[in-house]
Amino acid sequence: MACTSKEQFHQDVHELNQELKPQEQIPAVQTMKLNRGGLIIKTSEGPIQFGLPPETVKDSMSLGVEVPTFYIIPTQRFNKQFGINVAEFEFPAYFNFFIKKRQVTLICDNETANSIKIVFQETLLGPQDFSQIKSDYHPDVDPVEYVDFKKELAIFAKNPMNLNEKLTSETLLKFIIFENNVAQIGKVKIVKEENEFTIYDNENLLISFPDKFCFPKEYDKLLSLHKIDSSGKSEIAPPSLTIMKKMQHGKKPPSLTQTFDEVDSDEDALDMGSMPNLLLWNKNGEAKIQKKGSIELNEGLTFQAPEFGVTVLGCSHGFDPKGSTSGYIFWINGRGIMVDPPPYTSYHLKKMGIPPIMISAIIISHCHADHDAGAFHKILDDSKVEIITTRTIMYSFLRKYSAISNLSQDQIKSLFIFRPAILGVPLNIYGAEFEFFYAFHSIPCIGFRVRYQNKSIYFSGDTFYDPVKIEELYKQGHLNQARCKQLNSPKFTEDIILHEAGVPPIHTPQTVLSQLPNQVKNRMYLVHVAAKDVLKGSGLKVAKPGIENTLILIRPNVQQDITLNRKMDIISRIDIFDKLTLNNAKFLMDALKLEKYKEGELVIQENQEGHKFYIIESGLAKVFSDQKENKFQRYLQSGDYFGESALIQTGRRRASVLAVTDLRVLSLDKHDFWFIFGDGFEGQGPVIEQMMQLMEARKQQAIQILFKNSHFSQLTPTQKTQLEMIMQQQEVSKGQILWKKDDEATFVFFIRKGAFAFIDCEEAKLEEFDSGSFIGEINAILKGNKLTTTIKAIREGSILKIEAKSFAKFLQRNPGLLLLLQEYKYLE
């Protein structure tokens, strides 16, 4: 932490402290629930907080109460449902130490304390072993250019209040360990009992509360993006229709007006003509491009990804109570790469109308909580995602999250696909050229330049950029010449420059960036800084967060024909095509034709004869039927397909499909459909077999059963479709035993109708299960163990049965579900 003077550090902290200073009194109540979850208990020794979700310090600051220094750590520190660490002590520790100049005290058991020390080693000081640094670089790179992290991190690992003192985890943290289930803080006694904590103050009972962290109900609402009508049928709406609902009820969504006259910058120095285009929505969900002026936005429906650009999800820092921590989506050829996704990002993306299928990968720049907390959440959100970072950072991430989640490093590795970022050579990722480099930070951190066609974006990562100070460090022997040259060599010639400007000494001073030429500052957007903290008169501006403020360099390719690369990209993300041979995939690429439909135009009409199969390339479509016995509607987005049933079974369309926005689809003629997906003799190939299974499940309205289940209703549309393809309906008679204790696990099932109960086992005390409930011993299926339950039909009914092997494959493709469900025997 020693890249600047002690006096400068104190000046920066003093200014931040004054802006963030909360009221120094706890309200006259015993407890206070926090917006992100957890609670604060008032005691004679000061406030004590239970539970630490990400960004928890912002709750205290927003409420105007003192940020606590005492924290009780929940026994279950990691929430598997959300993929969120609820013992995120990093920023409470940083705030108290760097802003308030005091330690925090964590109250927990020995095992938890040891895990926290491992986490803090990685996040405060960085890895201890760099013997494999060579693997981060291309073989042609001269070893003299390798970063000497041991020397480099030592520059930062000093107590900023006493530069002669080495910074350690003990500098910031203290522990009070439960002994015989009791922890003592002066006159306050905390007793850890079975499933709850009890606090006494001066021998008086103060409060008892469950040893379980609960997220607020608002988080559940983020997951509930479907609705059931009065008839029990589901009206499956695109997630961003929630924005419409808010507006219809008089609640305007945030940041839906972009006025360039209000950009946070020095207006005199800002060249408006050099700013990249912005993507905005109109009321019908179309992407609108505008360079200047003010546009009023109404009802947003869907998001059309640009060919090349970036969406800023958050641009502030961990101490800004009104801003979201930094996070980004880089759009390349219509695919999204998330960089340092903030916590809960996946749910917000669903509300914005961005299907998970559009996010292909995650780049983790480094292992500070405000940069990696959302990554683990995204890993567990949907099908396996690709993680891009260097091996050094990846191994640090594995050590950190193994300690956080109590999962082994091998278990965590199995949850995603790792793509190493190699330094010293351009990497082609989804058609763009990435050049990664190590930034100058307190722990290993990467930045990058990315070029697509003739446009480029620069992302600094968290870094201390100050050419004068860096030159001084070189002269003092802290950096070698090659590293000094690399750190001081950015030319800032890119079309968009995203540069951090946090609080020095581990971030870049705005005073340095303000000295850059205006032609550079016009293309530069500050991140990791609150808008209110931008230097006045500097010509600098913050990046505007929000999907409506997406910075576009290359517009969506809506007028041109579709490229082979784009076709392959879409097909590769559709599960039902996994069984295609390489030859058949080639035939499919040749046979697919691009069709375009205007908003409001019918693609297919119910009851008409069908001759084509369709895959949505971009836009939003509504599938619906007005037939009384089959009335429904659902929405489809990029990567969804329709029209198969008329080609396989009925010959006539069972529903109509309407273009809600301008729509681009890939069509496949009936004869090509049967040639590519069949066996060549009008027989069923594996793809058609899966389609028929899916059609049968939808005929039985299997998806309505999923919507009745509190856990499975939260699945993505893709995951629900995967389940529908492996379900088979089976009738069950009253009194029928579906399996017995000590049998082999051969299937799981959802209850379609009827009532079922466990008998002759520990679970027999549970109430009966009815429609929507899931029954199945996941561990028995995954590990080959014997069943521990017996299940019986109490009333005649039917089930949606899934064979054990098929369900195991489904879980392996969806690691978040595997992690969440493996300990369960039933879910309602």
Side-chain angles (χ1 to χ4, degrees):
M1 307 289 293
C3 288
T4 189
S5 68
K6 179 177 178 181
E7 291 75 18
Q8 181 181 339
F9 172 82
H10 282 303
Q11 180 181 351
D12 293 327
V13 169
H14 175 73
E15 292 174 359
L16 182 61
N17 199 12
Q18 291 303 309
E19 293 170 355
L20 300 178
K21 188 175 181 180
Q23 300 171 14
E24 293 296 337
Q25 290 185 343
I26 294 286
V29 294
Q30 294 297 103
T31 64
M32 176 181 292
K33 290 185 178 180
L34 299 173
N35 295 335
R36 291 170 174 81
L39 70 158
I40 293 176
I41 303 103
K42 176 185 176 184
T43 76
S44 61
E45 299 292 338
I48 299 175
Q49 181 171 327
F50 171 76
L52 294 90
E55 301 187 319
T56 189
V57 294
K58 296 184 179 183
D59 286 342
S60 301
M61 293 156 58
S62 297
L63 293 168
V65 301
E66 182 183 0
V67 175
T69 59
F70 296 107
Y71 295 90
I72 301 173
I73 306 298
T75 299
Q76 295 295 326
R77 308 189 305 274
F78 182 74
N79 183 288
K80 292 181 180 179
Q81 181 181 358
F82 289 89
I84 295 293
N85 177 18
V86 296
E88 199 289 278
F89 60 89
E90 291 180 43
F91 274 79
Y94 296 153
F95 182 89
N96 275 292
F97 182 73
F98 293 111
I99 307 302
K100 295 296 184 180
K101 304 179 183 64
R102 61 194 183 191
Q103 290 179 302
V104 299
T105 300
L106 305 182
I107 305 158
C108 57
D109 56 32
N110 260 317
E111 180 183 355
T112 298
N114 290 334
S115 295
I116 286 174
K117 290 174 184 177
I118 293 172
V119 172
F120 216 28
Q121 171 63 49
E122 300 298 330
T123 191
L124 177 68
L125 304 171
Q128 294 177 298
D129 180 17
F130 295 100
S131 59
Q132 302 299 314
I133 189 68
K134 180 179 179 181
S135 65
D136 290 345
Y137 291 86
H138 189 270
D140 292 342
V141 174
D142 189 331
V144 73
E145 297 185 26
Y146 297 173
V147 176
D148 186 345
F149 276 117
K150 286 197 172 181
K151 287 180 66 176
E152 199 159 294
L153 300 189
I155 298 171
F156 299 95
K158 295 180 180 179
N159 186 339
M161 272 73 82
N162 181 1
L163 297 181
N164 296 318
E165 179 183 317
K166 185 178 179 181
L167 193 67
T168 67
S169 59
E170 289 77 14
T171 312
L172 282 73
L173 296 181
K174 293 190 296 185
F175 291 93
I176 293 179
I177 305 299
F178 282 102
E179 296 183 5
N180 298 320
N181 293 323
V182 174
Q184 195 79 37
I185 310 172
K187 298 177 181 179
V188 173
K189 181 171 67 173
I190 304 169
V191 180
K192 184 178 183 181
E193 301 172 304
E194 185 176 3
N195 299 323
E196 73 174 10
F197 290 101
T198 300
I199 298 180
Y200 298 87
D201 197 344
N202 285 305
E203 303 297 330
N204 296 316
L205 174 63
L206 194 62
I207 187 175
S208 291
F209 54 89
D211 179 14
K212 181 180 179 181
F213 180 89
C214 295
F215 286 98
K217 291 181 180 180
E218 285 74 12
Y219 287 18
D220 293 332
K221 293 178 183 178
L222 289 174
L223 299 170
S224 302
L225 301 178
H226 67 276
K227 63 179 182 179
I228 305 294
D229 65 22
S230 58
S231 66
K233 290 179 178 283
S234 172
E235 182 177 311
I236 307 169
S240 53
L241 286 181
T242 55
I243 294 177
M244 287 185 64
K245 293 173 188 175
K246 285 182 179 180
M247 300 198 68
Q248 289 166 357
H249 290 85
K251 298 178 181 179
K252 188 174 181 180
S255 303
L256 287 186
T257 300
Q258 173 64 34
T259 306
F260 286 94
D261 292 338
E262 296 176 359
V263 171
D264 295 300
S265 62
D266 177 16
E267 298 296 340
D268 294 335
L270 182 62
D271 177 9
M272 302 303 293
S274 68
M275 294 181 65
N277 297 330
L278 291 182
L279 181 143
L280 303 173
W281 301 337
N282 73 359
K283 65 181 180 180
N284 296 319
E286 297 171 288
K288 292 296 182 183
I289 310 299
Q290 185 77 9
K291 278 190 175 182
K292 302 176 184 179
S294 176
I295 296 179
E296 289 290 335
L297 299 174
N298 296 314
E299 298 169 351
L301 283 177
T302 189
F303 174 68
Q304 173 67 55
E307 279 287 295
F308 189 44
V310 60
T311 298
V312 177
L313 300 173
C315 67
S316 195
H317 53 74
F319 300 154
D320 178 10
K322 296 181 180 180
S324 177
T325 52
S326 298
Y328 321 87
I329 305 175
F330 282 72
W331 300 104
I332 299 168
N333 194 27
R335 299 178 76 168
I337 299 178
M338 297 184 76
V339 178
D340 295 347
Y344 325 115
T345 296
S346 295
Y347 302 125
H348 293 299
L349 293 185
K350 292 172 188 176
K351 293 180 72 176
M352 292 175 185
I354 300 177
I357 197 172
M358 293 181 71
I359 305 299
S360 302
I362 296 171
I363 294 175
I364 299 176
S365 71
H366 64 297
C367 290
H368 280 154
D370 56 332
H371 293 266
D372 69 3
F376 209 79
H377 168 68
K378 179 59 184 171
I379 288 170
L380 300 181
D381 179 54
D382 200 357
S383 300
K384 280 191 176 182
V385 70
E386 189 174 305
I387 305 293
I388 304 170
T389 192
T390 64
R391 287 185 173 89
T392 292
I393 295 172
M394 173 52 68
Y395 292 138
S396 181
F397 179 82
L398 290 172
R399 288 188 294 269
K400 176 179 176 179
Y401 275 89
S402 179
I404 286 172
S405 65
N406 280 334
L407 298 172
S408 70
Q409 291 187 35
D410 286 339
Q411 283 178 297
I412 296 177
K413 287 178 186 177
S414 71
L415 301 177
F416 57 86
I417 301 164
F418 175 45
R419 181 171 188 168
I422 305 299
L423 282 62
V425 63
L427 298 180
N428 189 295
I429 302 176
Y430 309 138
E433 191 175 85
F434 280 77
E435 294 181 40
F436 291 94
F437 54 84
Y438 272 125
F440 191 35
H441 199 45
S442 58
I443 62 174
C445 176
I446 53 172
F448 56 83
R449 301 173 185 86
V450 55
R451 178 173 293 277
Y452 181 75
Q453 296 183 18
N454 62 342
K455 299 293 183 179
S456 59
I457 303 175
Y458 178 89
F459 174 71
S460 70
D462 278 16
T463 192
F464 178 75
Y465 173 66
D466 185 335
V468 173
K469 294 292 177 59
I470 289 171
E471 184 72 24
E472 289 178 6
L473 291 170
Y474 160 61
K475 292 177 180 179
Q476 294 167 5
H478 296 293
L479 304 172
N480 67 19
Q481 187 174 22
R483 179 63 167 159
C484 178
K485 181 179 178 181
Q486 183 256 310
L487 292 174
N488 279 345
S489 64
K491 298 178 182 178
F492 298 131
T493 57
E494 292 78 9
D495 298 285
I496 294 175
I497 302 163
L498 295 177
H499 205 293
E500 71 100 278
V503 178
I506 64 173
H507 299 287
T508 298
Q510 291 185 49
T511 51
V512 172
L513 299 177
S514 68
Q515 297 170 20
L516 294 170
N518 283 343
Q519 62 179 2
V520 172
K521 289 187 286 187
N522 289 340
R523 290 176 281 111
M524 179 176 285
Y525 296 82
L526 301 187
V527 295
H528 214 291
V529 62
K532 62 181 177 57
D533 295 330
V534 176
L535 290 177
K536 301 298 182 183
S538 65
L540 300 171
K541 59 186 175 296
V542 296
K544 290 275 189 177
I547 202 74
E548 69 277 10
N549 296 313
T550 297
L551 300 167
I552 294 179
L553 291 174
I554 303 177
R555 302 182 184 190
N557 186 14
V558 294
Q559 300 300 326
Q560 304 174 25
D561 201 356
I562 188 169
T563 64
L564 177 62
N565 187 50
R566 177 63 177 159
K567 284 184 183 179
M568 292 178 64
D569 175 48
I570 294 169
I571 297 305
S572 67
R573 290 183 281 167
I574 300 176
D575 297 321
I576 205 166
F577 297 141
D578 283 354
K579 296 183 183 296
L580 281 179
T581 65
L582 192 58
N583 273 339
N584 280 4
K586 179 181 180 299
F587 296 149
L588 181 59
M589 293 300 103
D590 293 337
L592 287 171
K593 300 172 185 176
L594 179 65
E595 297 185 15
K596 303 174 185 177
Y597 294 88
K598 293 292 185 182
E599 173 198 339
E601 190 175 352
L602 276 175
V603 183
I604 61 177
Q605 176 72 53
E606 188 173 12
N607 291 323
Q608 289 187 351
E609 193 169 347
H611 300 286
K612 291 181 181 180
F613 169 73
Y614 300 90
I615 303 167
I616 297 179
E617 189 269 338
S618 64
L620 184 71
K622 181 173 75 170
V623 184
F624 66 96
S625 173
D626 291 327
Q627 299 296 320
K628 187 175 181 180
E629 67 279 2
N630 186 41
K631 193 170 184 179
F632 76 95
Q633 69 175 24
R634 63 190 299 167
Y635 290 81
L636 304 178
Q637 295 177 305
S638 175
D640 291 326
Y641 56 87
F642 59 91
E644 71 278 7
S645 60
L647 306 190
I648 296 174
Q649 288 184 339
T650 63
R652 292 191 175 276
R653 300 299 189 188
R654 293 180 172 178
S656 298
V657 177
L658 177 77
V660 178
T661 68
D662 285 355
L663 189 70
R664 286 161 55 99
V665 296
L666 300 174
S667 67
L668 188 67
D669 287 332
K670 183 175 181 177
H671 61 274
D672 286 324
F673 178 91
W674 277 98
F675 167 63
I676 295 168
F677 300 147
D679 65 358
F681 296 95
E682 298 185 356
Q684 300 168 9
V687 174
I688 290 180
E689 287 177 357
Q690 282 194 306
M691 286 181 174
M692 292 186 70
Q693 178 62 48
L694 180 59
M695 289 161 53
E696 182 62 27
R698 288 180 173 169
K699 183 179 178 182
Q700 302 299 333
Q701 296 185 335
I703 199 160
Q704 314 303 333
I705 305 304
L706 295 180
F707 282 140
K708 292 181 180 181
N709 188 287
S710 62
H711 287 77
F712 286 91
S713 63
Q714 299 171 11
L715 302 188
T716 66
T718 299
Q719 290 170 327
K720 290 189 179 84
T721 298
Q722 290 172 4
L723 275 179
E724 287 179 296
M725 286 192 294
I726 57 177
M727 289 176 167
Q728 292 183 327
Q729 183 169 318
Q730 177 179 309
E731 300 301 316
V732 179
S733 59
K734 180 179 178 180
Q736 181 176 340
I737 302 295
L738 282 84
W739 64 64
K740 292 182 179 180
K741 186 176 180 180
D742 295 326
D743 282 352
E744 181 182 349
T746 58
F747 68 95
V748 300
F749 66 92
F750 290 87
I751 300 174
R752 188 171 182 271
K753 63 180 180 179
F756 297 74
F758 289 114
I759 62 171
D760 302 330
C761 56
E762 289 185 10
E763 289 76 14
K765 60 187 178 182
L766 299 171
E767 295 181 359
E768 294 178 2
F769 297 90
D770 57 13
S771 182
S773 297
F774 168 83
I775 310 293
E777 295 192 33
I778 310 302
N779 261 329
I781 287 175
L782 297 176
K783 299 178 181 179
N785 299 336
K786 297 295 184 182
L787 290 165
T788 63
T789 61
T790 299
I791 187 75
K792 177 181 178 180
I794 305 302
R795 295 197 304 270
E796 181 182 1
S798 61
I799 63 172
L800 297 172
K801 182 178 178 180
I802 304 175
E803 298 296 332
K805 288 183 179 178
S806 297
F807 194 68
K809 288 181 180 178
F810 167 75
L811 292 177
Q812 288 163 2
R813 298 184 69 166
N814 297 279
L817 288 173
L818 173 61
L819 186 63
L820 176 64
L821 300 179
Q822 61 186 356
E823 298 174 2
Y824 288 94
K825 299 177 183 179
Y826 61 90
L827 288 167
E828 297 181 277

